[in-house]
Amino acid sequence: MKFNNGKVNEIQIAYIGGGSMYWAKNLIADLALDEQLSGTIRLYDLDYDKAKNNEKLGNSVSDYAETKSRWTYKAYPTLKEALSGCDFVFISILPGTFKEMASDVHEPEKYGIYQAVGDTTGPGGLVRALRTIPMYVEIAQAIERFSPDAWVFNYTNPMTLCTRTLYEVFPGIKALGCCHEIFGTQGLLIRMLRDMEGIEGVHRDEVKVNVLGINHFTWIDQVTYQNIDLLPMYRKFVDKYYETGFEHNKDAWMTNTYTAANRVKFDLFRRYGIIAAAGDRHLAEFMPPWYMKDPETVRYWKFGLTTVESRVEKHIATELFYRKLLSGEEKLPLKASGEEEVRQLKGLIGLQPFVTNVNLPNVGQMKGIPLGAVVETNAYFSANSLRPVYAGELPPAVHNLVLQHTVNQELILKAALQKDKALAFNAFVNDPLVNIDVNEAGMLFEQMLQNTKSYLPGWNI
């Protein structure tokens, strides 16, 4: 990297999963819109042709009139070539195909177990983790060998276990897990200020939050705006909208299964007195089947079960749009994604120190959780430094919920690394969503492993 009058040039970023048709578009736009940074994005993907597509798309943006910086995109056929000499690594991969995802999400439905997402916890999250962890073992080993000093940004789910694997394999790694769920809750609090007090124009940075928990099961026990404690207002807000829910657009949850009316979030606040800070679809999966006993219960709480069929339809539409981008028929819209990767880059480079929530190993920032387990709290970004901010401890009832999942995640990691079916099944039945007869759980577990066995070499399946 080279510093020049408040700008930094020749930044080298390796992007593992660089053939993406989703997150890659956001990254290309976000980088093009920032005038302080420039360099090279080294694209690596198991599908080299897809990485070449993003090389073409990324380089085409340099010709846009609204582009503020010039980045060079280059596809590499090997992980070694992509990683060698890089300053940063982004990891955003899809562990498996829609076939495996369909098993993760829908196989448990045969036993009355429903999942809104199926990528973090529950039966689907566990099996996804079993096939993802070996990939992350290879990635961590490659980073240790070819770019040991690079900062590593993980975007893949299950977020906690992917990030935890990187540290388990390469303890000296400088890795962080990045998720935007907290931003969504800050957005809800901004809309609350407008609805309850008529306050307009609030920026997310002005809503100060203390974050505790694990990814997609995060909590906020302190929140202020201009030094005003917002928890009393949030309590009134919850009471006002507990039954109807609160959305951008009324009843959007009925047609868009990626959204929700925040009723799960409101119910958890009433139960525990602090703000559940992830989306309803994720929060519901960490709890017993209070919110997902059956599809009727899900509808009562006003969120959706995102089917794999709907994801396939979305993928087909994205593929069509992507082909138009590559042919020049369509132009990539340059608009900010709302993610923080550029800001985080600037923080670690030393241009813009700031605090935001990330996933890091617990070194004491979250009390009562085992040291080394990956937790989500705030952290301070500064030049080549990322320091967790002390977050404190969750209330006992919530702490017990989070600790249960933290311990189970450690068990899943151990099972995946040792290829131990017995350990994996113990973790499977420990999950609160697997609220069925243990013999039925055994049959479900075996079938789900069968459905993903091509990603589990060395397992006795």
Side-chain angles (χ1 to χ4, degrees):
M1 293 185 289
K2 292 186 178 180
F3 292 75
N4 182 22
N5 294 326
K7 296 184 178 183
V8 184
N9 307 316
E10 299 184 27
I11 302 168
Q12 301 293 314
I13 300 175
Y15 177 5
I16 299 173
S20 163
M21 293 188 299
Y22 296 89
W23 192 75
K25 299 197 301 297
N26 292 338
L27 176 65
I28 291 169
D30 287 344
L31 290 175
L33 290 171
D34 185 84
E35 59 187 6
Q36 286 186 282
L37 307 179
S38 62
T40 300
I41 306 296
R42 304 162 168 217
L43 303 163
Y44 171 77
D45 199 284
L46 292 177
D47 189 330
Y48 179 66
D49 289 338
K50 287 186 177 179
K52 290 293 288 185
N53 286 340
N54 277 338
E55 175 184 295
K56 179 180 179 180
L57 179 61
N59 289 329
S60 71
V61 170
S62 294
D63 298 328
Y64 288 16
E66 60 268 44
T67 295
K68 296 179 181 178
S69 64
R70 296 295 185 268
W71 287 84
T72 300
Y73 289 79
K74 182 169 175 52
Y76 288 87
T78 69
L79 202 49
K80 176 182 177 180
E81 290 173 278
L83 289 172
S84 296
C86 69
D87 304 301
F88 300 94
V89 180
F90 294 159
I91 312 172
S92 180
I93 64 174
L94 179 63
T97 68
F98 286 119
K99 178 182 177 182
E100 286 75 32
M101 191 184 295
S103 173
D104 294 347
V105 175
H106 298 305
E107 194 69 34
E109 293 175 355
K110 299 174 183 177
Y111 294 81
I113 300 172
Y114 294 89
Q115 300 164 105
V117 188
D119 70 357
T120 299
T121 191
L126 181 144
V127 174
R128 180 181 172 114
L130 294 183
R131 63 175 181 266
T132 309
I133 286 169
M135 302 177 190
Y136 268 68
V137 169
E138 292 185 20
I139 290 170
Q141 290 170 339
I143 291 170
E144 181 176 23
R145 184 174 180 186
F146 303 120
S147 53
D149 296 322
W151 283 96
V152 181
F153 294 49
N154 175 57
Y155 293 92
T156 306
N157 289 325
M159 171 65 65
T160 304
L161 275 167
C162 289
T163 307
R164 177 70 180 85
T165 302
L166 294 174
Y167 277 94
E168 179 71 15
V169 175
F170 175 20
I173 200 169
K174 299 187 296 186
L176 55 145
C178 306
C179 180
H180 55 221
E181 290 281 307
I182 295 292
F183 308 158
T185 299
Q186 287 173 304
L188 176 64
L189 293 167
I190 290 169
R191 296 193 296 278
M192 175 192 76
L193 285 166
R194 183 187 308 125
D195 181 82
M196 302 294 283
E197 297 292 331
I199 299 173
E200 300 281 356
V202 179
H203 188 271
R204 191 173 75 208
D205 287 351
E206 297 178 278
V207 179
K208 307 294 185 184
V209 294
N210 186 54
V211 179
L212 310 95
I214 55 178
N215 183 244
H216 291 153
F217 201 40
T218 40
W219 301 79
I220 292 171
D221 66 348
Q222 298 172 37
V223 54
T224 60
Y225 167 69
Q226 295 184 348
N227 292 322
I228 301 169
D229 180 5
L230 294 186
L231 280 177
M233 188 189 303
Y234 189 77
R235 184 170 287 106
K236 294 177 182 177
F237 181 65
V238 168
D239 288 343
K240 181 178 179 180
Y241 291 106
Y242 181 80
E243 295 293 341
T244 62
F246 186 87
E247 302 173 87
H248 275 300
N249 301 304
K250 183 175 171 54
D251 294 334
W253 68 272
M254 297 180 69
T255 55
N256 182 355
T257 61
Y258 293 88
T259 189
N262 292 300
R263 291 200 67 223
V264 173
K265 189 184 271 82
F266 295 164
D267 189 60
L268 290 172
F269 179 79
R270 279 192 169 181
R271 290 175 183 274
Y272 300 114
I274 63 173
I275 300 173
D280 282 16
R281 294 159 61 248
H282 283 299
L283 291 168
E285 292 188 327
F286 282 87
M287 304 300 296
W290 298 348
Y291 308 108
M292 295 191 297
K293 178 184 175 182
D294 49 42
E296 290 72 28
T297 303
V298 173
R299 284 192 288 272
Y300 172 78
W301 290 104
K302 296 190 175 183
F303 67 99
L305 302 173
T306 304
T307 66
V308 174
E309 181 182 3
S310 72
R311 292 180 182 273
V312 171
E313 291 172 357
K314 181 180 178 182
H315 182 76
I316 291 170
T318 301
E319 223 170 18
L320 177 62
F321 176 63
Y322 203 74
R323 285 199 294 269
K324 292 180 178 179
L325 290 176
L326 292 173
S327 69
E329 184 180 345
E330 293 274 2
K331 182 179 175 182
L332 179 66
L334 288 194
K335 59 181 180 179
S337 69
E339 303 284 354
E340 285 197 329
E341 76 281 3
V342 171
R343 200 178 181 192
Q344 289 168 342
L345 287 171
K346 288 183 176 182
L348 293 172
I349 289 169
L351 292 175
Q352 183 182 323
F354 80 114
V355 173
T356 194
N357 60 289
V358 290
N359 294 268
L360 291 170
N362 188 29
V363 293
Q365 70 267 34
M366 190 168 164
K367 190 177 178 183
I369 298 297
L371 296 179
V374 169
V375 295
E376 186 160 351
T377 63
N378 285 332
Y380 179 67
F381 285 71
S382 58
N384 200 31
S385 174
L386 181 57
R387 298 194 300 275
V389 175
Y390 180 73
E393 186 174 16
L394 287 162
V398 181
H399 172 80
N400 288 343
L401 295 171
V402 172
L403 181 62
Q404 174 187 2
H405 285 284
T406 302
V407 172
N408 216 39
Q409 287 170 346
E410 291 295 308
L411 186 58
I412 294 168
L413 175 64
K414 186 175 182 180
L417 294 176
Q418 296 180 4
K419 301 179 181 180
D420 189 321
K421 273 180 64 177
L423 284 181
F425 182 65
N426 286 339
F428 190 83
V429 294
N430 283 349
D431 192 285
L433 278 185
V434 185
N435 190 23
I436 58 175
D437 176 81
V438 68
N439 294 317
E440 288 189 331
M443 291 187 287
L444 172 60
F445 177 71
E446 290 289 345
Q447 186 59 57
M448 292 182 76
L449 291 190
Q450 280 288 334
N451 294 344
T452 200
K453 66 180 180 180
S454 62
Y455 289 88
L456 302 176
W459 286 67
N460 181 26
I461 300 174

